[in-house]
Amino acid sequence: MPTEDQVTEALRAVVDPELHKDIVELGMVREIVFHDDGHVHVTVSLTTPGCPIRSHFEQGVAKAVSALDGVSRVSTDFDVLSADEKEGLKQKLGRGNLPAGALAQVGNVICVGSGKGGVGKSTIATNLAAALWAEGKSVACLDADVWGYSIPRMLGIHGKPKISDQRKIMPLIAHGGIRAISIEFFLEEQDQAITWRGPMLHKAIRQFLEDVDWGELDYLLIDLPPGTGAVSMTLAQLLPQSQFLMVTTPQPAAQKVAKRAADTAKRYDLSICGVIENMSPFTAPDGQRHAIFGEGGGQELADELDVPLLGKVPLQEELRVAADEGQPLVLRDPDDPAAQAISHAARGLIAATPETVPILQAPPEPVVTGTPLPMAP
Ligand SMILES: Nc1ncnc2c1ncn2[C@@H]1O[C@H](COP(=O)(O)OP(=O)(O)O)[C@@H](O)[C@H]1O
Ligand SMILES: [Mg+2]
């Protein structure tokens, strides 16, 4: 019979098809049991109970172990990694090509993209962040639109980030809880012109992902520049597990451009979690309905991509004014129809992205007031 070490060594040939690492390195071999008739039993721990790749592991284990001398039979069963073990695995894996640990405490990375500029990506990204925050989620906005950065203006936050004792960049915090990082925070003077070349751009974005202490986050929203240029590719290389949220206006032309962008995103392994239609028809105070940018493009795009249409955000002056004044409309006037539409989209996004960060801290203790002072007579 082989030794346990020999079986373990053989099991290194079994590679998790999604994580691209072997099950020994991933810590997924729970137990190896030897029975006296040359029968070896292996228990493999999966990340989720309904893991569809069970048979892949079963065949891989059988093939690897049965090749060893003295083995007459191989059997496999499965259990599930505990929450702690999964956390350890996440730390070990890091994110994409980032070093281990970077963004490990981020539940969902959502890239907000569109085919072209001016469709309201940044408006949606900031308001969506505010809506997720209002729903009790921890959120951050990363402004990856390094040419047309607008997150600072729309969140009403400007300044220089502090560096922590661990030599990490601390995001600025808008409206009491929305973390944000933008290239603007690092410019020497406002409106300084920057010309980015590919490698520099790659480095800047990489640094935002690696060197910023994002902390525990349910959602990191990345406001992409228009189109599917170098930035999207850079991000895709760094963050293969991130998801893409497409913003489009209702007219057919915009929706076609958005479709092309979505196709590119798919090619770079970014999955698409939904579509938001912006600048949708609105009803004027006199009750008349106006469809300035046409109708139905969001639904068509969503159908074509086979993803949910998370919301239709009407064209609304208040949304623009609030953004210009640094206050997401979702926070300033939650009852406004545009704010409502974005909050609705946020709830849809929460439903579509169930993975959240494990809460490591216990909830705060209720405030205990001291013994009441004796009442004055
Ligand atoms: N639904 C909307 N109603 C009214 N104005 C909007 C709406 N969405 C965006 N805007 C305005 O349109 C302009 C472009 O939006 P922005 O979010 O900067 O687009 P992008 O980031 O796609 O370039 C901004 O002035 C913004 O305030
Ligand atoms: Mg923008």
Side-chain angles (χ1 to χ4, degrees):
M1 281 289 265
T3 63
E4 184 162 342
D5 282 350
Q6 284 169 324
V7 174
T8 303
E9 224 27 64
L11 287 172
R12 288 191 187 275
V14 185
V15 173
D16 185 304
E18 280 164 7
L19 304 175
H20 307 295
K21 289 193 164 38
D22 73 71
I23 58 173
V24 177
E25 185 183 352
L26 291 170
M28 288 163 63
V29 178
R30 173 81 70 203
E31 196 181 31
I32 301 169
V33 179
F34 298 91
H35 298 282
D36 44 15
D37 52 352
H39 171 192
V40 179
H41 184 81
V42 179
T43 304
V44 177
S45 300
L46 303 172
T47 47
T48 51
C51 191
I53 42 186
R54 276 164 188 252
S55 68
H56 165 90
F57 287 130
E58 201 160 358
Q59 286 164 18
V61 168
K63 191 169 165 219
V65 179
S66 62
L68 296 170
D69 279 345
V71 176
S72 60
R73 185 161 102 80
V74 184
S75 55
T76 315
D77 71 354
F78 297 95
D79 69 3
V80 178
L81 293 169
S82 70
D84 279 353
E85 289 165 339
K86 257 184 256 177
E87 194 48 38
L89 182 62
K90 253 188 175 175
Q91 292 282 349
K92 207 183 290 177
L93 290 170
R95 283 267 183 177
N97 295 333
L98 293 178
L103 296 193
Q105 291 168 286
V106 178
N108 298 284
V109 180
I110 311 284
C111 299
V112 182
S114 69
K116 59 188 193 112
V119 300
K121 236 173 325 87
S122 306
T123 309
I124 297 293
T126 46
N127 275 279
L128 201 53
L132 289 164
W133 168 236
E135 291 285 329
K137 303 294 175 189
S138 47
V139 285
C141 274
L142 165 57
D143 192 350
D145 190 349
V146 288
W147 297 282
Y149 51 88
S150 47
I151 294 290
R153 177 172 56 83
M154 290 187 180
L155 286 179
I157 187 144
H158 306 275
K160 293 259 167 286
K162 292 200 164 61
I163 307 295
S164 73
D165 295 341
Q166 286 78 40
R167 311 292 307 150
K168 288 277 197 180
I169 301 165
M170 303 308 291
L172 298 186
I173 296 181
H175 303 287
I178 305 165
R179 290 167 241 184
I181 280 289
S182 170
I183 197 73
E184 190 212 83
F185 303 159
F186 302 92
L187 299 180
E188 290 307 315
E189 50 198 282
Q190 288 276 293
D191 298 325
Q192 185 185 337
I194 17 169
T195 33
W196 295 97
R197 283 168 292 111
M200 235 167 101
L201 190 59
H202 186 104
K203 242 172 115 180
I205 290 195
R206 200 182 165 97
Q207 194 175 14
F208 284 164
L209 295 170
E210 266 178 45
D211 295 348
V212 172
D213 184 359
W214 294 104
E216 278 181 26
L217 281 182
D218 294 317
Y219 293 91
L220 174 62
L221 300 180
I222 304 186
D223 185 20
L224 294 179
T228 47
V231 176
S232 314
M233 276 154 57
T234 290
L235 278 167
Q237 282 165 358
L238 292 173
L239 298 168
Q241 294 123 321
S242 57
Q243 307 200 51
F244 210 77
L245 176 63
M246 291 301 299
V247 179
T248 184
T249 56
Q251 80 251 57
Q255 168 225 331
K256 270 201 202 94
V257 186
K259 170 76 169 58
R260 235 179 290 139
D263 288 343
T264 315
K266 272 189 181 157
R267 223 173 314 128
Y268 286 98
D269 242 4
L270 290 153
S271 62
I272 298 167
C273 61
V275 170
I276 294 186
E277 182 184 274
N278 187 31
M279 309 191 176
S280 305
F282 66 97
T283 306
D286 64 4
Q288 229 191 318
R289 198 162 170 279
H290 300 269
I292 309 275
F293 289 107
E295 221 115 43
Q299 186 66 59
E300 263 174 57
L301 180 64
D303 290 348
E304 219 175 314
L305 299 172
D306 199 19
V307 296
L309 176 66
L310 295 173
K312 293 205 275 189
V313 182
L315 191 68
Q316 191 103 18
E317 188 178 7
E318 290 79 359
L319 187 60
R320 201 257 319 140
V321 172
D324 282 349
E325 292 173 0
Q327 277 196 339
L329 189 65
V330 162
L331 301 180
R332 177 187 277 188
D333 185 2
D335 293 331
D336 178 280
Q340 292 256 320
I342 296 170
S343 298
H344 173 82
R347 289 190 291 273
L349 183 65
I350 293 171
T353 51
E355 192 187 342
T356 47
V357 227
I359 304 296
L360 297 182
Q361 296 118 329
E365 291 284 314
V367 178
V368 181
T369 47
T371 326
L373 289 171
M375 297 282 277

